[in-house]
Structure formats: structure tokens, C-alpha cells
Amino acid sequence: MALSKKVKNKGTHTEVTFTVAGHEAPSESEVLLLGDFNNWQTNNSDVQMEKKGGKYVKSINLKNGQQYEFRYLSQDKGWFNDHAADAYVPSPYEGIDNSVVDLSEVKAPAKKKPVKKTVKKVEKKAKKDDLKKIEGIGPKIAGILTEKGIGTFLKLSKAKVSVLEAILKEAGPRYSMHKPGSWPKQAKLASEGKWDALQKLQNQLDGGK
């Protein structure tokens, strides 16, 4: 025997399925399901349990928030209880208990909170160009210029020579000796993708001067 429950109608009712296995029934005759939910009326056409695969099964939609007493009735062997009931209470007849299906504390299923899709912001890495392609700029100076916010050919092309000289001077004597006069012009050609023109210009330079 078994009682299976499935909350319905947003938690106001529960579909209770009553099951009696074939070997649990007193005989092979019809079995009726009688209880508070049908006023124990045997003449009700809806009380007969359906026989499925050797089992007697009946599903009823019951209102939550209360208990219901019930028993099974074999047409030729009489009354019997459900040994899987939620509880048992004395019936009006001495020495006889009724089975109970308890829905007094059934709660509506918790509403699933909508899952917020978190859109990960992909931080675009600042574009950097290979400043070493500019004659006169080595790895160290390229790093120094990048730290100062001049990490692309375009920014270098717009930088004033005086600003570049100040950056080199601040970096120390070993860098202040470099002459950045042609760097903006080289960088402009590089930013425009004019590599042949840049190569031609660099052939005319001596260490970037």
C-alpha cells in the first residue's frame, strides 16, 4: 500500500494517489475507497478503485490544510485499512480505527527565483603597438612610453617631441641621450600602415635621428 502526494493548484490542493497492491487486498473483488472526501457513500460511482497491473489505484484532488479519514472496502471481504497511512484515529465504531491522510501542513512549493544572468563585462585590454618598430626605440624605452600612456603608434604620432624628451630625461641619463625628433613622424606612418614609407624613412635615419 502507498500514499503518494503531489501539490497542485499553486499549493491549494494535493493530488493524493491511493494504491493497494493485489496481494494486500483481501480478495480479487472490487475495492472501494471511502472517506471524508466522499462522505463514506458506497453508492457514489466515483469511489471504485481502478485495477491496474494487479494493483488497485485511485487519485483524488484534496484541499490542503486538513486531515482526511478513510478506509478501503472489499466488495466481498469487508473493510480494511491502509498500512501506509499517515496516522490512525478511532472511528465511531468501537475497536475500529480509520486511516488518515494528513494534508494539514502541506505547503505550496517554494517559488523558484528567476536566475539572473550575470553578464560578465569583458574589459578590453588597452591596445598596444610594438613601439620597437620605431627606429630609436628599444624594449626599455617602449616600456617607459607605455607606462606614460603612449603605448600605440597613434598616440606616439600625436606626442610632442618636447614631451617625449621630458619623459626620457625623467627616466635617467641613459635614456635622455636618445633623440625622439623623428618618432612621431615614424609612428604616424606606422599607424596608417604605410610600412614601405616607414622603411624608406628609417633608411635615411641614424638611430632614429
Side-chain angles (χ1 to χ4, degrees):
M1 296 180 184
L3 294 178
S4 62
K5 304 171 184 177
K6 187 175 181 180
V7 178
K8 297 270 191 174
N9 303 335
K10 297 182 180 180
T12 61
H13 291 72
T14 293
E15 182 184 68
V16 181
T17 300
F18 301 80
T19 304
V20 178
H23 68 276
E24 295 172 321
S27 71
E28 294 184 0
S29 67
E30 293 180 353
V31 174
L32 306 182
L33 172 61
L34 301 170
D36 294 335
F37 34 77
N38 54 28
N39 295 317
W40 303 88
Q41 297 298 311
T42 57
N43 59 354
N44 188 331
S45 60
D46 195 39
V47 299
Q48 184 173 327
M49 300 185 74
E50 183 179 357
K51 198 167 186 179
K52 294 182 178 179
K55 297 179 180 180
Y56 298 88
V57 181
K58 183 72 176 179
S59 295
I60 301 179
N61 206 31
L62 300 177
K63 187 176 181 180
N64 291 330
Q66 64 187 83
Q67 295 182 342
Y68 299 87
E69 296 181 28
F70 72 96
R71 295 191 82 194
Y72 301 114
L73 177 61
S74 171
Q75 292 285 57
D76 63 353
K77 293 293 183 177
W79 296 92
F80 62 102
N81 276 335
D82 190 324
H83 63 66
D86 295 329
Y88 303 92
V89 295
S91 74
Y93 305 98
E94 187 176 352
I96 298 176
D97 289 339
N98 286 338
S99 301
V100 173
V101 56
D102 188 359
L103 303 180
S104 58
E105 296 184 4
V106 175
K107 296 180 180 178
K111 292 183 179 180
K112 292 184 179 179
K113 293 183 179 180
V115 179
K116 293 183 179 179
K117 294 183 178 179
T118 54
V119 180
K120 292 184 178 179
K121 293 183 179 180
V122 180
E123 294 184 2
K124 293 184 178 180
K125 293 184 178 179
K127 180 185 174 185
K128 294 180 183 178
D129 291 322
D130 186 2
L131 298 183
K132 299 192 298 299
K133 291 183 178 181
I134 305 301
E135 186 169 333
I137 297 180
K140 293 288 186 181
I141 293 178
I144 292 170
L145 292 175
T146 300
E147 289 180 2
K148 294 295 183 179
I150 305 175
T152 64
F153 294 135
L154 183 60
K155 288 185 177 181
L156 181 57
S157 69
K158 296 180 179 181
K160 293 183 179 180
V161 174
S162 60
V163 172
L164 297 175
E165 290 174 338
I167 292 174
L168 295 173
K169 184 177 180 180
E170 182 183 345
R174 61 181 295 190
Y175 302 108
S176 60
M177 60 182 290
H178 292 269
K179 303 299 180 182
S182 68
W183 294 357
K185 186 175 181 181
Q186 290 187 66
K188 187 174 187 302
L189 294 173
S191 68
E192 295 173 352
K194 297 179 179 179
W195 300 108
D196 291 339
L198 175 60
Q199 185 62 56
K200 185 176 180 181
L201 173 61
Q202 290 179 341
N203 291 339
Q204 300 171 3
L205 298 173
D206 181 13
K209 299 178 185 178

